[in-house]
Amino acid sequence: DAKTTQPPSMDCAEGRAANLPCNHSTISGNEYVYWYRQIHSQGPQYIIHGLKNNETNEMASLIITEDRKSSTLILPHATLRDTAVYYCIVRVLYGNKLVFGAGTILRVKS
Amino acid sequence: DAMVIQNPRYQVTQFGKPVTLSCSQTLNHNVMYWYQQKSSQAPKLLFHYYDKDFNNEADTPDNFQSRRPNTSFCFLDIRSPGLGDAAMYLCATSRVGVNSPLHFGNGTRLTVT
């Protein structure tokens, strides 16, 4: 499985953009980058995923570098409810699996 | 709303007493997963079903079993729970394929006394 590296924690001011980085230098050509978050005592929540192109949905934007070795999840206007653990995951090509790494604890502060 | 439902939300069992956790889905997804999440750790995949095809992770203890009687339901059986099996157990579903996100339930928190 392609390994991901994320900072253990980050702080963000409420109303500002939260930019969460992820390194995945061993990613293979057909492996997707997924982002999930987990709020305390809840199941992981899907945020966004992408292969090569930048992606945007109602929750966030995903910026993937041209060499695909890193990506950034952007929450455009962070709120206190965005405080959570954010997981960057490279999805293996075969076997349907999703393997979680350690994640980044994002604290949004007022 | 289509969803993944786990019951019960909290389960207490005694050391060595078999326990079953349940998961149901209304998404009609082919794939169902069970994850274990211990305190302050990331979720760890135990096994998954692709339709009726069972796929066990290499490091999942034999103490953990699973059943999927139909598309909608999946069960996690812990044959002889130990204190180290206390954790949140998460069920998830997806369509087949690497481009299909997993949808998670809110988990069952298991306490072993």
Side-chain angles (χ1 to χ4, degrees):
Chain A
D1 298 350
K3 181 179 171 61
T4 61
T5 304
Q6 298 179 253
S9 65
M10 293 181 62
D11 291 338
C12 177
E14 188 178 21
R16 304 296 295 269
N19 296 283
L20 293 94
C22 180
N23 287 321
H24 32 76
S25 58
T26 60
I27 193 169
S28 298
N30 292 322
E31 291 177 331
Y32 281 77
V33 178
Y34 275 75
W35 283 85
Y36 279 77
R37 72 181 183 183
Q38 189 172 25
I39 296 168
H40 184 62
S41 295
Q42 296 183 19
Q45 178 188 22
Y46 166 75
I47 301 173
I48 199 166
H49 73 286
L51 182 62
K52 297 178 183 177
N53 300 321
N54 298 337
E55 301 289 341
T56 296
N57 63 21
E58 65 278 3
M59 288 183 69
S61 295
L62 173 60
I63 309 298
I64 303 174
T65 57
E66 192 169 342
D67 64 6
R68 302 187 71 238
K69 292 185 178 182
S70 66
S71 61
T72 301
L73 179 73
I74 301 172
L75 308 178
H77 305 285
T79 71
L80 298 178
R81 286 177 294 182
D82 292 322
T83 293
V85 180
Y86 286 76
Y87 295 100
C88 169
I89 303 162
V90 172
R91 184 101 181 259
V92 295
L93 184 59
Y94 299 109
N96 297 304
K97 298 197 294 188
L98 195 75
V99 179
F100 288 80
T104 295
I105 299 171
L106 175 69
R107 300 184 191 91
V108 180
K109 299 183 175 181
S110 58
Chain B
D1 286 342
M3 54 176 35
V4 181
I5 302 163
Q6 293 189 244
N7 285 310
R9 192 82 170 88
Y10 301 92
Q11 176 76 55
V12 180
T13 191
Q14 293 177 334
F15 182 94
K17 184 175 181 181
V19 65
T20 295
L21 309 181
S22 71
C23 176
S24 64
Q25 57 138 336
T26 60
L27 297 161
N28 204 33
H29 285 167
N30 298 88
V31 193
M32 294 187 77
Y33 309 77
W34 280 104
Y35 286 81
Q36 178 193 61
Q37 186 174 25
K38 295 186 177 180
S39 181
S40 301
Q41 296 183 19
K44 179 178 181 295
L45 181 64
L46 295 173
F47 26 60
H48 73 278
Y49 274 95
Y50 171 19
D51 290 327
K52 286 191 174 293
D53 182 23
F54 179 70
N55 298 273
N56 199 26
E57 293 300 298
D59 57 354
T60 298
D62 292 341
N63 197 28
F64 292 87
Q65 305 285 319
S66 186
R67 295 170 285 134
R68 189 179 185 187
N70 54 51
T71 300
S72 300
F73 287 88
C74 196
F75 300 98
L76 171 62
D77 300 309
I78 308 176
R79 294 192 295 185
S80 181
L83 297 179
D85 296 327
M88 174 79 85
Y89 289 89
L90 295 160
C91 175
T93 73
S94 76
R95 292 191 182 93
V96 175
V98 71
N99 194 23
S100 299
L102 273 66
H103 300 263
F104 284 83
N106 276 327
T108 294
R109 182 166 296 282
L110 179 69
T111 300
V112 182
T113 61

